[in-house]
Each structure stands twice: as C-alpha cells, then as structure tokens.
Amino acid sequence: MKHFEANFDGLVGPTHNYAGLSFGNVASQNNAALISNPKAAAKQGLQKAKALADLGLIQGILAPQERPDLYTLRRIGFSGTDANVLQQAALKTPALLNACCSASSMWTANAATVSPSADTRDGKLHFTPANLVDKLHRSIEPITTGRILTATFNDPHYFHHHNHLPEHNSFGDEGAANHTRLCKEYGHAGVELFVYGQEATNPNALKPKKYPARQTLEASMAVARLHQLDDENCVFIQQNPEVIDQGVFHNDVIAVGNQNVLFYHEQAFLNTNNKLDEIRRKLDSELYFIEVPTAQVSINDAVKSYLFNTQIVTLPSGDMAIIAPTDCQENPAVNAYLNELLTLNTPIKQVKYFDVKQSMQNGGGPACLRLRVAMNQDELAAVNQHTLLTDALFNRLNIWVDKHYRDRLSTQDLADPQLIIESRTALDELSQIMKLGSVYQFQR
Ligand code: SUG
C-alpha cells in the first residue's frame, strides 16, 4: 500500500492581527500594533498550500476558529448582547479582548501531535490536541481544535482522537511544533522525536532564564503513552535553554526532520551527540544529520529568517525539497547556507521560496502553518474529502476570502461588533464548503 505524508495547513481566520501576545516570540513582540491584512494573510497561506498540492503532494486545509471568542469573554464576567460584551471588554480589559481575537489557530503545527498508524500499537492514527497553556490566547484553542480535527479525520475505524492534556503548566503541550518523526519510508515504523523545553516536576532541571519553555517533558511523555508508542520508537530530547532565551520558542524554529533527514542548528539541543546515537540505535536506516554551524548561521539569523521553520518534503521523484519563507532569501548568511546545502550530498535537492510575511510577522513560518499527517491510501480515503485542497477548493476558498475578509485590521478594530457578524457569516459558509458540521460554538 502507498504511504505518504500529507500536510494540513491552517486557513488564516478573518481576525488575523498583530497584538504582541507571545512573550518569548520575538516577531510577535516586535510587530505588536502593526496593521495586519487578513485577506493577504489567508491568500499567502492558500498559495503556499496550493503550490505543494501542485508539486504532487497531498494537501489538506484545517478550518480556522471562531474569533472574537465571546464565550471566553462571557466566562470571565462580561454580559449583555454580543456587541456589549465586546465593547465592555475593549473598554475595561483591552489585553483580554486581544487574546480573545487572535487568529492564532492558523499555526496548525500547534494544533496537535500526530502519530501515524505505522508507529502505534493499535494500528490507528492518533491525534492529541495541544493544550497551549503557556499563552492565554492559545489556551482557548484546544476544544474547537479537537472538533475540527474530528470533523476532518472523521472515521473512528482509522483515527483515534484524544482529549488535550490537563490544563496546567506541568503539562504544557505545544503539539507537533516540538515533535518530528524520522523513518525509512513513511509506512515503516519510525522514531518519534519529542523535544521539550523543561522538566516541570524536577526543580533541579535546567530551564531557560528569560523566556518560557512552553513544552514539558511530562507532556511529551503523556502524549507518547496515549499514542501507544513503544519506548523503542521514541527519543526525548531537551531543547537548549540558551536558545529559548534567544527567541526559539518552539523546536521547529531550530530543527526540522523528514524521513531520514534531521536538519538542525548546532545549538538546538542539549546532549546532542548522545541523542543522535540513540536515534541511530533505534532507527535502522541510513540517516542524514545535517547540522548547521553557528559560524555559518547565528541563532539570531535563524530566528529572523526561520531557516528551520521550513518544510522538508519528499517529492514524487523521491528527492526532497525545502519549502522556505522568502525571508531566508533576503538574509545573506542564510541564503548562502541554503545555496551551499544543495551542493552537499544529501537528499535535499531544491529550495522553493514563499512569501508568508503576514504570518511571519507574528512568528509563524511555513512549517508553523501546517500539521503533518503521515498516512496510507486507505486512511486518506477515510478523511473528509471536502478538506483536501483540489483546484476547485482552492478557487472556492479564494472567492470566500475575497467576499468576507478585510484588508486592514488594527487592534482598535477588534472592538467593532461588525467583526463578530463578519466572522460568523464567513465561518458558517466555510463549515458548509468543507462539510464540517457544527464545529463552532455559535452553531451549537
Ligand atoms: O504561538 N504567534 C504564535 C506563533 C506560532 C508559531 N508556531 C510554530 N512555531 N509552530 C505563537 O507564539 C502571535 C500572536 C500575536 O502576537 O498577535 C502568536 O500567537
């Protein structure tokens, strides 16, 4: 049976804005209060996804979440009509309103951790939505994420959906952004790499000093247990706390893997050599560990350009390509490194650049925008087919974006009650286009 890796990209929602909500994420903080362009953001994401589909890869779309999140605002004591709730929140707690308006569900690398059926004891594909407890605006995502994932992967014969982990910082879980799977072929059992920022229950363990370590070892181990992975298929690696303090808030800002390639920065991990040995022991395959030295690319350049927030994809020809943001082309050190990489004897033979600046300005590169799901043909046939990106869906979604999205949004605009109507009208139509059922609270 044919096996492959599908990418499910997050569709950018109508309230995409820059509110500076993510302490530790340099781009989010530096671009706070910039005026966003939700229409351009959604189209940039769709273009990137369509280009991957045109390369012959399986590409799906995950629907955005309902924002403004009036349910959270009501839960914290605002009342009256929807317009009243929004306006009172804008007046009294603008920071909380901003948190309830973020379109952050677009970064579907943080939607969930996914383990393919080749790795799991029950032979099903497992999903655990990330609880994202480190950031208020993200901690309100997991329930709807679970609904959207279940509506997309909607056959219990093939797909096993778990609840998100307990909502406490001992179990801080950021999903696939801290998870990479190495394997010989997608259909063979692989080794799942869980990269964590701190061991929450060990007071003596190393952790960053300045910025939060969002992912805990406890969460990573819980996901591995839930997904029925064997110890022989897992490697737990601690992220270097010093790079977290320089803006590497997720592992996918400093490392990315695909099949038998692990592409990472020299300073990405603690205890690197031992961990690479463990991977070699656990995975019976020729492996390419591509380590990028600080002398060629500094942490600062890696964080600015998102060199490692690239997607490494296997093309139908068997060669691999890197899907990079245009910011990598614009950074001289990174551009030079990528040109050199193509001359090294590795499976990576091409680099393709995409403008995803609307997302990048909030710290989300190409890899943040997608959730990887390694699967086989039967599993693909069991996916909700209306979520797969065909020419027809691409055209339909572009028309839908043109109809419903603004091309300018400031944080002041988030107090506009019209935004509630626009967003709900758009999402109601989208849930029909993608045949998702009533995934949104306003539809229930
Ligand atoms: O969680 N930014 C997101 C970016 C997530 C990137 N994802 C991965 N690396 N996989 C975050 O920090 C910024 C929102 C704002 O400031 O308006 C934000 O949420």
Side-chain angles (χ1 to χ4, degrees), residues 152-399:
T152 306
F153 303 94
N154 55 3
D155 185 339
H157 181 71
Y158 292 101
F159 308 120
H160 190 149
H161 294 277
H162 300 275
N163 286 332
H164 59 278
L165 297 178
E167 293 152 20
H168 182 267
N169 50 23
S170 295
F171 286 105
D173 180 20
E174 300 277 320
N178 293 314
H179 174 258
T180 291
R181 176 174 183 263
L182 300 180
C183 59
K184 194 169 185 173
E185 300 288 342
Y186 289 122
H188 295 180
V191 166
E192 300 200 14
L193 310 186
F194 290 86
V195 183
Y196 61 95
Q198 62 167 318
E199 196 182 334
T201 53
N202 176 358
N204 301 319
L206 274 179
K207 57 169 95 171
K209 296 190 172 69
K210 186 173 164 197
Y211 290 146
R214 298 195 199 181
Q215 180 83 33
T216 68
L217 174 61
E218 291 80 350
S220 298
M221 288 184 149
V223 171
R225 274 191 297 272
L226 286 167
H227 290 196
Q228 304 185 20
L229 304 178
D230 288 329
D231 290 347
E232 278 311 296
N233 296 76
C234 296
V235 177
F236 298 92
I237 308 178
Q238 184 166 0
Q239 215 185 336
N240 179 355
E242 287 175 18
V243 300
I244 297 180
D245 279 340
Q246 292 169 71
V248 181
F249 58 98
H250 286 140
N251 175 61
D252 68 4
V253 178
I254 197 88
V256 54
N258 177 50
Q259 288 192 315
N260 59 350
V261 172
L262 183 64
F263 179 52
Y264 62 98
H265 192 276
E266 181 186 0
Q267 296 183 60
F269 311 121
L270 287 184
N271 209 3
T272 309
N273 289 338
N274 287 344
K275 290 297 166 181
L276 297 183
D277 281 345
E278 189 180 340
I279 297 170
R280 280 191 199 95
R281 248 192 348 267
K282 291 184 169 176
L283 192 66
D284 174 27
S285 168
E286 182 187 16
L287 284 160
Y288 292 85
F289 292 132
I290 309 176
E291 182 175 286
V292 180
T294 309
Q296 275 184 281
V297 177
S298 66
I299 298 294
N300 189 36
D301 279 336
V303 170
K304 271 202 199 132
S305 67
Y306 267 33
L307 169 63
F308 299 97
N309 202 265
T310 44
Q311 297 175 242
I312 304 179
V313 296
T314 303
L315 302 170
S317 66
D319 285 347
M320 293 190 194
I322 285 198
I323 308 299
T326 44
D327 308 65
C328 286
Q329 237 174 345
E330 291 154 14
N331 181 302
V334 170
N335 189 36
Y337 178 81
L338 281 171
N339 288 337
E340 185 188 316
L341 173 62
L342 299 184
T343 67
L344 306 178
N345 200 15
T346 79
I348 301 172
K349 304 292 183 208
Q350 297 178 34
V351 185
K352 292 185 182 295
Y353 295 97
F354 291 89
D355 177 0
V356 286
K357 281 201 194 297
Q358 284 288 323
S359 168
M360 284 287 286
Q361 288 172 167
N362 251 339
C368 299
L369 286 163
R370 63 92 171 93
L371 183 66
R372 296 193 277 186
V373 187
M375 49 169 56
N376 63 37
Q377 270 169 321
D378 287 351
E379 289 159 346
L380 180 64
V383 169
N384 170 349
Q385 300 294 300
H386 305 276
T387 64
L388 298 176
L389 193 63
T390 55
D391 288 352
L393 183 62
F394 176 72
N395 292 334
R396 185 100 197 257
L397 290 178
N398 273 291
I399 293 167

Side-chain angles (χ1 to χ4, degrees), residues 19-22 25 28 107 110 137-138 177 214 250 252 362-363 368:
L21 299 175
S22 281
N25 167 346
S28 151
W107 299 296
N110 305 120
H137 68 292
R138 306 223 57 183
R214 298 195 199 181
H250 286 140
D252 68 4
N362 251 339
C368 299

Side-chain angles (χ1 to χ4, degrees), residues 35-93:
I35 308 281
S36 68
N37 183 337
K39 188 178 281 185
K43 291 196 162 194
Q44 287 174 354
L46 282 169
Q47 285 291 351
K48 194 261 287 182
K50 179 64 164 56
L52 267 67
D54 289 345
L55 286 171
L57 303 173
I58 304 294
Q59 180 69 56
I61 296 291
L62 290 174
Q65 303 217 352
E66 180 193 351
R67 296 290 181 270
D69 178 354
L70 294 162
Y71 312 96
T72 297
L73 291 174
R74 288 186 189 281
R75 192 173 159 198
I76 58 174
F78 293 106
S79 58
T81 63
D82 288 345
N84 281 340
V85 167
L86 199 69
Q87 281 165 340
Q88 286 301 305
L91 207 64
K92 302 221 170 93
T93 57

